[in-house]
Amino acid sequence: MSNFMIAGNWKMNCGPSEAKKLSDDLAKRWPSGSFQCDVVVSPPSISILSVVDALKGTDIATSAQNVHTEDSGAYTGEISTPMVKDAGCSYVIVGHSERREYYGEDNDLVAEKARKVILDDLTAIVCVGEKLEQRKSGNQEKVVMEQLDAVLNKITIDHAPKLVIAYEPIWAIGTGETASPKQAQEMHLFIRNFLKERWNEKRSSEVKILYGGSMKPANAEELLSQNDVDGGLIGGASLKEESFSGLIEIAEKLS
Ligand code: PGA
């Protein structure tokens, strides 16, 4: 496996001034060449420019949290892949469970977005994960398989290097409750095997599979030590320089 990825999802937090302050603190702590892993932050779209500017001279990449499937047009409130590229992003989070749940994004739309992001040469961080009831009824693998299947039907094996998958059990997001390292590993292995079946061993190993859901410095080491956990997508703990840096330190130590 290559390096870990530590990706912060700031959600609807940090307007331009706050985002600049957090990015300045990260830039001070992590100058260029100070880590091996892939580090990404995903501010709200209005703060992307201030973050990209503050992170110049570091190896921290910037991600958008969502994009439309078209390049431009009459879609009030939306932003597109050419726009986020122009602003300096190299990643886009696609299909976060909050977008699926609150904005009605279904598997087809998420797959269309992932395809658009990847064809436009950005890396898609595609989120998958089950609800609590689905886990309780033992359907977690079926749910995740359907979410993944929709995306893989829209891209090809050659797109593997542009795909990152984030497994985020919905019951663990923002709740303080994490999947156990065993539960995380089981699902990550299921995802890896699914990729292997659809593509092949080499390509499946090129896709980073992140865990998300209440990851923080106190529980990251155990989660990141699992064979198929290649990093984390972090919400709450990415909003403070100290905890986000703590996660980067753990990933560096384990690399
Ligand atoms: P959390 O969020 O770390 O606050 O649980 C993770 C996510 O939703 O990406």
Side-chain angles (χ1 to χ4, degrees):
M1 214 265 304
S2 51
N3 302 326
F4 285 107
M5 176 179 286
I6 297 296
N9 175 11
W10 296 358
K11 308 192 180 183
M12 198 173 74
N13 297 290
C14 298
S17 329
E18 233 183 303
K20 177 175 172 3
K21 166 89 180 60
L22 179 51
S23 307
D24 282 342
D25 290 347
L26 287 169
K28 224 180 280 165
R29 174 75 183 76
W30 300 104
S32 184
S34 55
F35 55 73
Q36 304 300 314
C37 52
D38 294 341
V39 179
V40 183
V41 292
S42 189
S45 50
I46 197 166
S47 304
I48 287 173
L49 283 175
S50 71
V51 169
V52 168
D53 189 49
L55 294 178
K56 273 189 192 132
T58 76
D59 302 325
I60 303 175
T62 307
S63 171
Q65 296 179 12
N66 176 44
V67 284
H68 196 271
T69 50
E70 298 291 329
D71 284 343
S72 61
Y75 301 103
T76 303
E78 294 291 311
I79 58 169
S80 68
T81 48
M83 292 175 189
V84 303
K85 275 175 85 165
D86 187 24
C89 289
S90 40
Y91 291 81
V92 181
I93 297 174
V94 179
H96 189 279
S97 61
E98 286 149 17
R99 295 224 49 96
R100 292 177 189 260
E101 190 173 342
Y102 306 141
Y103 304 99
E105 294 197 8
D106 61 14
N107 285 346
D108 284 346
L109 180 58
V110 170
E112 279 297 341
K113 288 188 176 190
R115 175 184 152 83
K116 174 73 178 149
V117 166
I118 290 172
L119 290 185
D120 285 353
D121 210 27
L122 292 151
T123 299
I125 303 176
V126 175
C127 302
V128 296
E130 80 284 358
K131 297 180 180 156
L132 186 58
E133 313 84 83
Q134 293 166 331
R135 178 161 282 266
K136 281 189 169 155
S137 57
N139 285 324
Q140 67 272 19
E141 289 184 349
K142 179 172 176 285
V143 170
V144 168
M145 192 185 76
E146 284 168 3
Q147 292 170 336
L148 276 180
D149 188 53
V151 172
L152 295 189
N153 286 340
K154 298 264 180 198
I155 62 174
T156 73
I157 186 166
D158 296 329
H159 295 135
K162 288 288 181 190
L163 176 66
V164 172
I165 294 168
Y167 169 56
E168 302 203 302
I170 296 171
W171 45 274
I173 296 179
T175 58
E177 192 175 336
T178 39
S180 68
K182 183 170 172 283
Q183 285 172 321
Q185 170 56 25
E186 276 168 7
M187 184 59 88
H188 283 230
L189 181 61
F190 173 77
I191 294 170
R192 183 88 62 207
N193 284 337
F194 186 72
L195 293 171
K196 210 185 290 181
E197 269 167 41
R198 288 291 290 261
W199 293 341
N200 58 44
E201 174 114 35
K202 181 176 173 295
R203 288 309 199 177
S204 83
S205 68
E206 285 170 4
V207 176
K208 282 194 168 61
I209 308 175
L210 314 182
Y211 168 79
S214 302
M215 189 187 263
K216 51 182 186 259
N219 58 27
E221 181 153 355
E222 243 195 315
L223 287 160
L224 294 176
S225 300
Q226 305 303 307
N227 254 348
D228 291 284
V229 177
D230 305 324
L233 179 58
I234 299 115
S238 70
L239 294 172
K240 295 259 176 310
E241 185 276 327
E242 212 185 329
S243 44
F244 193 59
S245 291
L247 290 161
I248 300 172
E249 278 166 11
I250 293 168
E252 286 296 287
K253 191 179 93 178
L254 296 175
S255 289

